[in-house]
Every structure is written in structure tokens, then in C-alpha cells.
């Protein structure tokens, strides 16, 4: 849905920054003294690689947004509601939903950037 895609688009820069904290690179690509900014720049370059009139990042964002079927959105809403009801989250419902989506997207983006990097090498 367009709403989910708008949320994904608003998070993708932050997700890329977070992914740069993790090791998705081979030693031959970056050395052990590589800074966070250098890893982020490499990741940004990899994500903006053009593929058939789009980019790697756009493909990943489209795939992530497509995961949010009505059934999955219902599960997400139940999970957020449960967290609020049990007191494990002190956030409002909207903020709780966005936090859960961001956490899932972070894992999704990290996993696929790692897979793409392995495939490339």
C-alpha cells in the first residue's frame, strides 16, 4: 500500500546508517580501520546501484513494502496492542507500530545487503 511505502521511504536513510554499523562487507572491500562514514558511503553506493531503471534500494523498499499484506498488518497491530497492554512499550500506538516496522526493516535491509554482497563476490 502507498501508506506503507511512504513509511518505508521515510525510514530508509536511517536504516542504511544503522546497517553501516554491522559487518556486511568483505575484508577485501573495506579494511578493519574503515570508519562508519566510509562504510555508510560504500553502502549508499551499493544501494544506489542501477538495475533495470531502478536501484537496489528501491527494489528492496518495494519488496519490504509488499510484505505488509492486510493479514501481516493485522498481526503487527496485534503485536503493538499487546505490547501497550502488557506495559512492555510506553509509546503511543502509532509510534509503537513505526518502531516495530523499523526494527523489522533494519533486519530485512541488513540481511539482503549481506546477501547481495555475498552474491557480488
Amino acid at each position: 500500500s502507498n501508506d506503507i511505502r511512504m513509511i518505508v521511504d521515510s525510514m530508509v536513510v536511517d536504516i542504511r546508517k544503522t546497517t553501516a554499523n554491522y559487518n556486511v562487507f568483505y575484508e577485501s572491500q573495506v579494511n578493519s580501520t574503515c570508519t562508519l562514514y566510509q562504510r555508510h558511503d560504500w553502502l549508499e553506493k551499493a544501494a544506489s546501484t542501477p538495475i533495470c531503471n531502478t536501484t537496489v534500494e528501491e527494489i528492496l523498499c518495494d519488496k519490504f513494502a509488499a510484505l505488509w499484506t492486510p493479514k501481516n498488518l493485522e498481526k503487527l497491530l496485534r503485536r503493538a496492542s499487546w505490547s501497550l497492554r502488557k506495559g512492555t512499550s510506553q509509546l503511543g500506538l502509532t509510534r509503537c507500530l513505526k518502531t516495530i516496522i523499523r526494527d523489522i526493516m533494519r533486519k530485512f535491509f541488513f540481511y539482503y545487503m549481506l546477501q547481495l554482497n555475498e552474491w557480488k563476490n
Side-chain angles (χ1 to χ4, degrees), residues 2 11 18 61 80:
N2 286 340
M11 294 180 184
T18 303
C61 288

Side-chain angles (χ1 to χ4, degrees), residues 46-103:
S48 62
T49 300
I51 299 176
C52 299
N53 300 324
T54 189
T55 65
V56 167
E57 189 168 89
E58 286 295 316
I59 292 169
L60 290 177
C61 288
D62 286 342
K63 288 193 172 295
F64 184 77
L67 293 174
W68 298 103
T69 63
K71 185 176 182 176
N72 286 338
L73 287 170
E74 181 181 339
K75 288 179 184 178
L76 176 66
L77 185 56
R78 286 181 192 272
R79 179 177 168 189
S81 298
W82 182 85
S83 294
L84 293 171
R85 191 176 71 217
K86 294 292 184 183
T88 56
S89 176
Q90 301 300 316
L91 305 172
L93 182 59
T94 302
R95 186 83 165 151
C96 187
L97 290 167
K98 284 185 178 181
T99 299
I100 293 169
I101 291 171
R102 179 177 281 116
D103 289 344

Side-chain angles (χ1 to χ4, degrees), residues 11-23:
M11 294 180 184
V12 72
V13 172
D14 178 54
I15 298 299
R16 194 180 328 113
K17 287 177 186 175
T18 303
T19 303
N21 285 309
Y22 298 98
N23 187 14

Side-chain angles (χ1 to χ4, degrees), residues 8 20 35 49 67 73 77 85 100 110-111 118-121:
V8 169
T35 68
T49 300
L67 293 174
L73 287 170
L77 185 56
R85 191 176 71 217
I100 293 169
F110 171 76
Y111 175 78
E118 286 180 10
W119 176 74
K120 175 183 171 274
N121 288 298

